[in-house]
Amino acid sequence: MKALTWHGKGDIRCDQVADPTIEDDRDVIIKVTCCAICGSDLHLMNGYMPTMKSGDVLGHETMGEVVEVGSGHSKFRKGDRIVVPFNISCGECWFCQKGLFSLCDRSNPNAKQAAEVMGQSPAGLFGYSHLVGGYWGGQAEYLRVPFADVGPIKVPEGMDDEQVLFLSDIFPTGYMAAENAGIEPGETVAIWGCGPVGQFAIQSAWMLGAGRVIAIDKVPERLAMAREHGKAETLDFSNSDIYDALMAMTDGRGPDRCIDCVGTESDPGASADSMLDKVKAAVYLGTDRPHVLREAIYSCRKGGTISVPGVYIGLVDHIPFGAAMNKGLTFRMGQTHTQRYLEPLLAMVQKGDIDPSFVITHRADLEAGPDLYKTFRDKQDGCIKVVMRPHG
């Protein structure tokens, strides 16, 4: 089959690779009808995630048609269209039973390796390094879905792929980010990063009762989408001091809730500290560039909450923890418990409360994938979200 594969920093290719096969009787195989490039895929492209191997198949935002079913699987049948969560969960361990699906104890076959780095292992993830399982991803013509009886959801008749694809990751991720922020009616929410997850965090903040949403970025197309689709007030960090602007907009108190949708790769041109972070990463004195996290800590009002859906990889430097402690801030973060949100968010789409396809700017086949990775990374051609149809 054709698939997008990783061959080193900056080297993404469309290769011919082996077709997937059933490996466990709970598996299904899907013919991928629609998949997407995620902002967190760029961390792989840029070489920030360890334990990638040449030839690994990328992608974790995937849906498709069931073409093969394991002997012990009874949830789906051949021909069903399903959306696949980006994280893999067994449904049976203590964490899954608590609804903490992204912390599944059984789905990462390399859990010991992950525990050496993190203390404990998170769930396995599609297409996201051998640290979280080495599972091949869904930017491919076909995908094996382990534990397919847990998580994947059947697409109702009459719904287009583009309406439901983002249930695989970015819509639940934006929603959980807003939920983790603990928004109370009428509160002011500041959101750093107006990429796809940021756009869904904006939408979700309104759904959860925000009174004001302030979105922060520098890319004109992203800021325009935040205003036009998200009805947010916007700040361009290339020409504003964000702390000063947020203080002025909130009468000196600061936003009630702050959401970091940027994560490990803050723009190095945002400030002196973000440039220093990039230098440290270049000479292996650091891994992450946490400028946004620092700014959120300083900006958030006393007693407020900081929610972090943005991916961090390793160690963060010069975090003002004293400020966070003395201001009484609450932090909520983590990979999304996607399976928890699929049914309620699908219902919102069905009711017409939201059409997630508004974020799509580029559509292509797999062969165009390597070039579109670069277009997306470099924020060229107004690229906000890339969707690919492997079979045309």
Side-chain angles (χ1 to χ4, degrees):
M1 67 174 182
K2 294 178 183 177
L4 298 188
T5 57
W6 185 92
H7 290 275
K9 183 177 179 180
D11 188 358
I12 308 299
R13 306 176 194 175
C14 185
D15 286 338
Q16 292 282 341
V17 302
D19 291 341
T21 58
I22 295 290
E23 298 179 19
D24 182 272
D25 60 9
R26 294 172 67 180
D27 291 352
V28 303
I29 305 291
I30 65 169
K31 175 183 177 181
V32 177
T33 57
C34 208
C35 59
I37 301 174
C38 182
S40 56
D41 289 329
L42 299 182
H43 304 326
L44 306 180
M45 182 186 189
N46 294 337
Y48 278 88
M49 189 69 187
T51 73
M52 291 293 291
K53 296 181 180 179
S54 184
D56 283 347
V57 177
L58 300 168
H60 58 266
E61 294 182 321
T62 314
M63 64 174 296
E65 177 186 336
V66 176
V67 294
E68 193 172 349
V69 178
S71 60
H73 183 90
S74 59
K75 182 177 179 181
F76 300 120
R77 299 179 178 179
K78 290 182 180 180
D80 286 345
R81 291 165 63 223
I82 66 172
V83 176
V84 180
F86 76 93
N87 33 25
I88 302 166
S89 307
C90 74
E92 299 168 346
C93 70
W94 186 89
F95 291 95
C96 286
Q97 290 295 304
K98 293 285 187 180
L100 303 173
F101 295 101
S102 71
L103 306 177
C104 176
D105 247 348
R106 295 174 56 196
S107 62
N108 183 2
N110 299 329
K112 183 177 179 181
Q113 183 182 8
E116 290 173 356
V117 177
M118 306 181 202
Q120 290 86 29
S121 172
L125 305 181
F126 286 105
Y128 218 76
S129 88
H130 292 262
L131 195 67
V132 286
Y135 292 98
W136 277 14
Q139 291 170 4
E141 292 183 308
Y142 295 90
L143 174 70
R144 179 177 78 93
V145 183
F147 298 112
D149 49 345
V150 180
I153 188 171
K154 185 175 178 180
V155 178
E157 291 293 329
M159 299 193 77
D160 183 77
D161 284 3
E162 292 183 359
Q163 289 179 283
V164 296
L165 172 63
F166 301 137
L167 292 172
S168 62
D169 179 0
I170 56 174
F171 185 11
T173 295
Y175 191 88
M176 186 172 119
E179 188 176 78
N180 275 349
I183 300 165
E184 296 182 6
E187 288 190 325
T188 297
V189 181
I191 297 174
W192 278 258
C194 295
V197 168
Q199 299 293 338
F200 284 111
I202 291 168
Q203 300 279 338
S204 301
W206 291 122
M207 293 175 186
L208 294 172
R212 293 177 76 185
V213 177
I214 302 169
I216 302 156
D217 207 299
K218 77 168 186 180
V219 180
E221 295 84 3
R222 292 182 175 191
L223 291 168
M225 183 177 283
R227 289 190 298 269
E228 294 162 15
H229 287 276
K231 310 304 178 187
E233 302 167 64
T234 59
L235 290 172
D236 181 342
F237 67 76
S238 68
N239 58 32
S240 297
D241 181 290
I242 297 304
Y243 172 83
D244 288 345
L246 289 173
M247 291 305 106
M249 296 171 77
T250 59
D251 296 324
R253 189 172 72 177
D256 301 289
R257 316 292 169 182
C258 294
I259 303 178
D260 171 6
C261 293
V262 177
T264 185
E265 291 190 78
S266 291
D267 190 303
S271 65
D273 70 304
S274 58
M275 177 59 74
L276 182 59
D277 287 337
K278 185 173 184 180
V279 171
K280 289 178 180 177
V283 297
Y284 304 103
L285 292 177
T287 58
D288 298 63
R289 306 203 300 258
H291 163 73
V292 165
L293 185 56
R294 296 186 194 110
E295 197 164 70
I297 290 171
Y298 286 126
S299 300
C300 192
R301 73 151 164 87
K302 293 178 287 186
T305 301
I306 295 177
S307 172
V308 186
V311 173
Y312 285 88
I313 304 298
L315 303 178
V316 292
D317 193 17
H318 284 87
I319 293 302
F321 201 75
M325 183 273 172
N326 284 289
K327 291 174 67 174
L329 301 182
T330 296
F331 289 82
R332 299 284 303 279
M333 64 195 79
Q335 297 284 4
T336 308
H337 307 305
T338 317
Q339 295 84 343
R340 183 195 299 175
Y341 297 98
L342 291 177
E343 293 284 356
L345 297 188
L346 175 62
M348 290 182 186
V349 178
Q350 286 181 293
K351 288 189 297 183
D353 295 340
I354 184 172
D355 180 356
S357 67
F358 77 90
V359 297
I360 301 171
T361 55
H362 290 64
R363 296 170 174 85
D365 55 21
L366 281 180
E367 286 84 354
D371 287 336
L372 284 170
Y373 257 88
K374 295 175 183 176
T375 300
F376 184 33
R377 178 195 63 190
D378 299 337
K379 301 176 178 63
Q380 296 175 339
D381 193 33
C383 186
I384 296 176
K385 190 66 178 179
V386 176
V387 165
M388 297 173 289
R389 292 184 180 269
H391 297 273

